[in-house]
Amino acid sequence: MGIRDSASPAPGDDQPSIAIVGGSITGPTLALLLHQAGFTNVSVLEASPRPHAQAGGVIGLEHSALATLDAIGIPQREVVPFPSERVVAVHVSDRQEVGRVHTIYPGRNTGWHLLNTALLNRLPDGWLQPNRAVRSLTVTDDGKAQLEFARGQAATADMVVFADGRRSTGRRLLDPSRPLHYAGYVAWRGQLPHGLPELSDFTRYEPHSTQFNCFPILRKDGSIGVDWTFYLNMTGEQFTELLGAAPTQRTYVLPHQIGPEVRAMVLEQARRLLPPAAAAMVEATEEWNAAPIVDIDPPQHMVHPIGAGHAVLLGDALAPVRPHTARGANHGIDQAHGLSIALSQHLHHDADLGAALNGWQHRYLPAVHHALELGPRLGSAMGLGVTPSPELVPA
Ligand SMILES: Cc1cc2nc3c(=O)[nH]c(=O)nc-3n(C[C@H](O)[C@H](O)[C@H](O)COP(=O)(O)OP(=O)(O)OC[C@H]3O[C@@H](n4cnc5c(N)ncnc54)[C@H](O)[C@@H]3O)c2cc1C
């Protein structure tokens, strides 16, 4: 099942072989959509022994993404343990609340671990191939895409879909003129190891030059906690010095990479900027991770010719967007849905594949361009990033 090791014989049917690189959210969603559409020769190649949350915590999914999950057999009740649709924006001055606004989110919140587990548990046997870090992409003499893995083996496929995240190998190989740019601030994340009875809505504290979000989360061990994200400005030089690599290299910072010096610095900012209840959450959380916020030029293509076939970029591999847009995982799921339709029209109705893929990318690129343009504006309005807006002083 799945892609063919270079040395092994061709499978006996005429199904296209599809290699999906990345086993987090976008990749397994596409695999399940393809399974449902009758594709049988699909592999999900994942670099790690088992996908793990990198900066993953609470993820807001809009209704279309939730409906796609429902359609592949993942009911909302399985991935949405806390059903509130409300967003509470708390305005803060001098660490005190000065007002709040309630809005309704057009979707619900899930958690990375819950969603990833639900997806991987449903993959057909043998489709997920862990420890397969893709390193390069070449073309064989008969026009197939050939993937080489860090451990030395190689495999061929008719189509390669890169869903390998913010620091995508696929993007580097297919679209090298679009490097990541550091946006000048970092999302620090953690999970308070217990719930807060008063917290049921997604709550956003908005002092100028920072933002603090929190929402309940069902933790990996089944207990209820509070997932929080604390955005803080930090220069690229500071990041590199304190976290050991440039922010466009270390695109996720794991708990063991956060030393006492940087922890003390973030805690000091929390005590200076946040209302005491929010600062207390940061302080009471032992283990943090972080994601430097990055930007990228808008993509012009999602589909790239490779030999006689195609390679495709999806989700964060295509373009990571600022978290304030809450669109990253939504894009990946929506794009996977559209791609599965294009491929299925080709398989079952003999549609021209090139035209179907072209139509697909023209439908989905505008949403990505919009989010790439919106994100920096939202960050700047909050006083975050390299071009923050000045703080508005009330008249
Ligand atoms: C603070 C924060 C808050 C967010 N909130 C939201 C939100 O509310 N709503 C929303 O929609 N999005 C949100 N996002 C964005 C969302 O988390 C990402 O868009 C989403 O995780 C992208 O999923 P993905 O599957 O495309 O990539 P990833 O989750 O990055 O997964 C990529 C996978 O590919 C694997 N991989 C990498 N390289 C290779 C290789 N060479 N070979 C094989 N495998 C490889 C990795 O191990 C990983 O498993 C948020 C992000 C952050 C940082």
Side-chain angles (χ1 to χ4, degrees), residues 21-22 24-26 46-47 60 132-134 164-165 169 316 326-330:
V21 184
S24 169
I25 295 175
T26 308
E46 167 55 43
R132 293 274 212 170
V134 171
D164 54 342
T169 300
D316 275 16
R327 284 299 309 165
N330 281 287

Side-chain angles (χ1 to χ4, degrees), residues 191-194 228 263 267 279-286 288:
Q191 289 177 9
L192 192 66
H194 56 81
W228 56 260
R263 189 178 166 95
L267 272 176
M281 284 190 232
V282 179
E283 197 150 10
T285 304
E286 291 272 309
W288 304 350

Side-chain angles (χ1 to χ4, degrees), residues 183 185 231 293-296 320-327 331 367-385 387:
Y185 61 107
Y231 294 95
I293 305 305
V294 291
D295 290 321
I296 194 163
V321 297
R322 300 249 187 137
H324 322 293
T325 65
R327 284 299 309 165
H331 279 160
V368 176
H369 291 185
H370 173 70
L372 287 172
E373 190 265 326
L374 176 66
R377 276 198 283 125
L378 294 176
S380 173
M382 289 183 273
L384 286 165
T387 53

Side-chain angles (χ1 to χ4, degrees), residues 41-102:
N41 199 358
V42 177
S43 298
V44 179
L45 308 167
E46 167 55 43
S48 45
R50 175 154 182 113
H52 54 281
Q54 298 185 89
V58 165
I59 295 180
L61 292 182
E62 295 186 17
H63 296 302
S64 67
L66 290 167
T68 298
L69 295 174
D70 213 25
I72 51 178
I74 301 179
Q76 211 173 112
R77 65 177 177 281
E78 185 177 334
V79 289
V80 177
F82 306 102
S84 169
E85 299 172 272
R86 287 213 313 179
V87 177
V88 182
V90 181
H91 304 312
V92 174
S93 179
D94 287 336
R95 304 189 71 201
Q96 301 296 320
E97 174 173 343
V98 291
R100 55 177 62 201
V101 175
H102 293 206

Side-chain angles (χ1 to χ4, degrees), residues 17 44 58 63 103 149 169 221 234 250 318 325 332 392:
S17 52
V44 179
V58 165
H63 296 302
T103 51
F149 303 112
T169 300
D221 64 6
M234 182 182 252
R250 182 149 291 164
L318 177 71
T325 65
L392 293 177

Side-chain angles (χ1 to χ4, degrees), residues 23-198:
S24 169
I25 295 175
T26 308
T29 300
L30 176 65
L32 289 173
L33 286 161
L34 293 177
H35 176 57
Q36 194 176 52
F39 287 81
T40 57
N41 199 358
V42 177
S43 298
V44 179
L45 308 167
E46 167 55 43
S48 45
R50 175 154 182 113
H52 54 281
Q54 298 185 89
V58 165
I59 295 180
L61 292 182
E62 295 186 17
H63 296 302
S64 67
L66 290 167
T68 298
L69 295 174
D70 213 25
I72 51 178
I74 301 179
Q76 211 173 112
R77 65 177 177 281
E78 185 177 334
V79 289
V80 177
F82 306 102
S84 169
E85 299 172 272
R86 287 213 313 179
V87 177
V88 182
V90 181
H91 304 312
V92 174
S93 179
D94 287 336
R95 304 189 71 201
Q96 301 296 320
E97 174 173 343
V98 291
R100 55 177 62 201
V101 175
H102 293 206
T103 51
I104 302 291
Y105 178 65
R108 293 248 155 70
N109 292 297
T110 183
W112 185 91
H113 178 73
L114 213 50
L115 181 54
N116 179 256
T117 304
L119 290 164
L120 295 191
N121 282 348
R122 287 170 169 84
L123 286 179
D125 285 348
W127 280 28
L128 179 65
Q129 299 190 13
N131 294 312
R132 293 274 212 170
V134 171
R135 196 179 55 181
S136 71
L137 175 63
T138 53
V139 181
T140 61
D141 290 344
D142 59 351
K144 283 192 176 258
Q146 173 158 288
L147 293 164
E148 276 170 31
F149 303 112
R151 295 180 173 206
Q153 317 95 318
T156 59
D158 297 306
M159 173 175 244
V160 180
V161 179
F162 285 98
D164 54 342
R166 325 169 102 197
R167 231 185 121 208
S168 166
T169 300
R171 188 191 326 118
R172 181 170 55 74
L173 296 170
L174 298 168
D175 202 357
S177 64
R178 293 173 51 241
L180 297 174
H181 305 286
Y182 177 49
Y185 61 107
V186 177
W188 301 92
R189 295 196 94 168
Q191 289 177 9
L192 192 66
H194 56 81
L196 295 173
E198 68 279 15

